[in-house]
Structures are given as C-alpha cells and as structure tokens.
Amino acid sequence: MTTTAHVDRFAQDNLPPRSQWPDLRLAEAGLDYPEQLNATTVLLDEMVRQGYGDAPAIHTLQATCTYYQLLVRVDQICHVLREDMGLVPGNRVLLRGANNPMMAACLLAVLKCGLVAVPTMPLLRTGELGKIIDKAQVSAALCDVALVDELQVLPASGLSCARS
C-alpha cells in the first residue's frame, strides 16, 4: 500500500526515506489488501453490513456498546470533524482523554476521516502538549472536558478544539 488519500501531505513529507521503510511481504503472508484501505470502515461499517450490528464492540464494567452504536457515534464525530471543523484528510488531530469508549470512538472517527491521530496521555501538561502540537503541526483537538484546562492555557496556536 503506497497511495494515500491525504490532501494535507505533512505526514508523507516527514516520513523517512523510502530506503528505510520496512519491506512488507503481504502476499507471502497470504494477505491481499487493496491499494487504499480504511481500517475503521472495515472494522465497523463492514461488521454492521455483515449483520453483527447488535454484537458487542466495546465492553466495560459500566456498559457495553454494540457495533451499530459505535458506528453511529463514530459517524457523528466524523461529521463534526469534516463539516463543523473543516478538516481534510492528512490533518493532525490531538486526542486527549482517558482510555474509555468515547476516546475509542474519537480515534476511530479520526481514522475514518483520513486524519492523523496524535494521541496523548492525560498526565501531560501544557508545556509538553505545546511541544507535541508544534512538532506534529496539529490543527485540531478532541479533548475530554475534564482535561481541557491544559489546552486552554496554551498560547494561541490556531488549534480548533471539540470537547467530548
């Protein structure tokens, strides 16, 4: 797989030289992937299309989320990312939140939209987040409302934020 749907070419432009890439021998492993593949579409849309919509996709001590419920949530987040925030494939999105079903949905939505996920640990503080945002040239963030304070005190970076 060598082609990309990314409009924003930051990720491609910052990859190591082609000579340093791994040699993926997918055919030898019996794997036949198309030139372009959206993992979220395969993991969610395809599962629902195959009749597994009512099967559990995420299970926690508090609740269970079915494939269909997760697909609906992911598509809602995708709408916000594309339509409301105006992001295009290849843009980087900072993910800031606890390890929970909503953050999983945010990650899957970012990938489904063709965006680049920049996950961070909830323990990171303003200085550390600022360095990550600058280095990755992050243009948007999905942040748990309980953790938004560290992002709000960053100097004006043009970062567009959505709270979960």
Side-chain angles (χ1 to χ4, degrees), residues 3 16 20 25 31 61 69 83-84 89 99 103 107 109 120 122 130-132 135 137 139 141 156-157 160 162:
T3 61
Q20 293 179 12
R25 298 177 182 170
L31 302 171
L61 295 175
Q69 291 167 329
E83 304 301 323
D84 299 346
N99 186 9
M103 196 49 54
L107 173 62
T120 61
K131 289 176 186 172
I132 292 168
K135 184 159 185 114
Q137 296 182 16
S139 54
S157 61
S160 176

Side-chain angles (χ1 to χ4, degrees), residues 122-151:
L123 295 175
L124 295 181
R125 296 298 168 238
T126 302
E128 297 154 323
L129 290 168
K131 289 176 186 172
I132 292 168
I133 290 166
D134 290 342
K135 184 159 185 114
Q137 296 182 16
V138 170
S139 54
L142 296 177
C143 182
D144 188 309
V145 71
L147 300 171
V148 76
D149 292 347
E150 297 289 338
L151 285 179

